[in-house]
Coordinates of all heavy atoms in Angstrom, one line a residue:
G43 N -19.4 3.2 49.9 CA -20.1 4.4 50.0 C -20.0 5.1 51.3 O -19.4 4.5 52.4
D44 N -20.5 6.3 51.4 CA -20.5 7.1 52.6 C -19.2 7.3 53.2 O -18.9 7.4 54.5 CB -21.4 6.5 53.7 CG -22.8 6.4 53.2 OD1 -23.3 7.2 52.4 OD2 -23.5 5.4 53.5
E45 N -18.2 7.4 52.4 CA -16.8 7.6 52.9 C -16.5 9.0 53.3 O -15.4 9.2 53.9 CB -15.7 7.1 51.8 CG -15.8 5.7 51.3 CD -16.8 5.4 50.2 OE1 -17.6 6.3 49.9 OE2 -16.7 4.4 49.6
G46 N -17.4 9.9 53.0 CA -17.1 11.3 53.2 C -16.8 12.0 51.9 O -16.0 13.1 51.9
K47 N -17.2 11.5 50.8 CA -16.9 12.1 49.5 C -17.4 13.5 49.4 O -16.7 14.4 48.8 CB -17.6 11.2 48.4 CG -17.1 9.7 48.3 CD -18.0 9.0 47.2 CE -19.4 8.8 47.5 NZ -19.7 7.9 48.7
G48 N -18.6 13.7 49.9 CA -19.1 15.1 49.8 C -18.2 16.1 50.5 O -18.0 17.1 49.9
N69 N -30.2 8.0 45.4 CA -29.7 7.0 46.4 C -28.6 7.6 47.2 O -28.3 7.2 48.3 CB -29.5 5.7 45.8 CG -28.5 5.7 44.5 OD1 -28.3 6.8 44.0 ND2 -28.1 4.6 44.1
A70 N -27.8 8.5 46.6 CA -26.6 9.1 47.2 C -27.1 10.2 48.2 O -28.1 10.7 48.0 CB -25.8 9.7 46.1
G71 N -26.3 10.3 49.2 CA -26.4 11.4 50.1 C -25.0 11.9 50.5 O -24.3 11.2 51.2
H72 N -24.6 13.0 50.1 CA -23.3 13.6 50.3 C -23.4 14.9 51.2 O -23.9 15.8 50.8 CB -22.7 13.9 48.9 CG -22.6 12.7 48.0 ND1 -22.2 12.8 46.6 CD2 -22.7 11.4 48.2 CE1 -22.2 11.6 46.1 NE2 -22.5 10.8 47.1
T73 N -22.8 14.7 52.4 CA -22.9 15.7 53.3 C -21.8 16.8 53.3 O -20.6 16.3 53.2 CB -22.9 15.1 54.8 OG1 -23.7 14.0 54.7 CG2 -23.3 16.1 55.8
I82 N -27.1 18.4 52.5 CA -26.9 17.1 51.9 C -27.3 17.1 50.4 O -28.5 17.3 50.1 CB -27.8 16.0 52.7 CG1 -27.4 16.0 54.2 CG2 -27.6 14.6 52.1 CD1 -28.1 15.1 55.1
F83 N -26.4 16.8 49.6 CA -26.5 16.7 48.2 C -26.9 15.3 47.8 O -26.3 14.3 48.3 CB -25.2 17.0 47.4 CG -24.8 18.5 47.5 CD1 -24.0 19.0 48.5 CD2 -25.2 19.4 46.6 CE1 -23.7 20.3 48.7 CE2 -24.9 20.8 46.7 CZ -24.1 21.1 47.7
Q254 N -21.8 6.5 45.6 CA -21.7 5.2 46.1 C -20.2 4.9 46.3 O -19.4 5.8 46.6 CB -22.3 4.2 45.2 CG -23.9 4.1 45.3 CD -24.5 5.2 44.4 OE1 -24.2 5.4 43.3 NE2 -25.4 6.1 45.0
V303 N -24.0 0.1 54.3 CA -25.6 0.1 54.6 C -26.2 -0.9 53.6 O -25.8 -1.0 52.4 CB -26.2 1.5 54.2 CG1 -27.6 1.6 54.9 CG2 -25.3 2.6 54.4
F327 N -25.3 7.0 60.5 CA -26.7 6.7 60.0 C -26.8 7.4 58.6 O -26.3 8.4 58.4 CB -27.7 7.3 61.0 CG -27.6 6.8 62.4 CD1 -26.7 7.2 63.4 CD2 -28.3 5.7 62.8 CE1 -26.6 6.7 64.5 CE2 -28.2 5.0 63.9 CZ -27.3 5.6 64.9
G328 N -27.4 6.6 57.8 CA -27.5 7.0 56.3 C -28.0 8.5 56.1 O -29.0 8.9 56.7
A329 N -27.3 9.2 55.2 CA -27.7 10.6 54.9 C -29.0 10.6 53.9 O -29.6 11.6 53.9 CB -26.5 11.2 54.2
T330 N -29.3 9.5 53.4 CA -30.5 9.4 52.4 C -31.6 8.8 53.1 O -32.7 9.2 53.2 CB -30.1 8.6 51.2 OG1 -29.1 9.4 50.5 CG2 -31.3 8.5 50.3
R335 N -25.7 2.4 59.8 CA -24.7 1.9 59.0 C -24.0 0.7 59.7 O -23.7 0.8 60.9 CB -23.7 2.9 58.5 CG -24.3 3.9 57.6 CD -23.2 5.0 57.3 NE -23.8 6.1 56.5 CZ -23.4 7.3 56.5 NH1 -22.5 7.8 57.4 NH2 -24.0 8.2 55.8
Ligands
MG3 MG1 -23.6 9.1 51.6

Side-chain angles (χ1 to χ4, degrees):
D44 302 326
E45 296 89 348
K47 299 177 293 295
N69 49 350
H72 299 170
T73 314
I82 300 180
F83 291 89
Q254 288 83 51
V303 202
F327 296 89
T330 295
R335 296 173 181 150

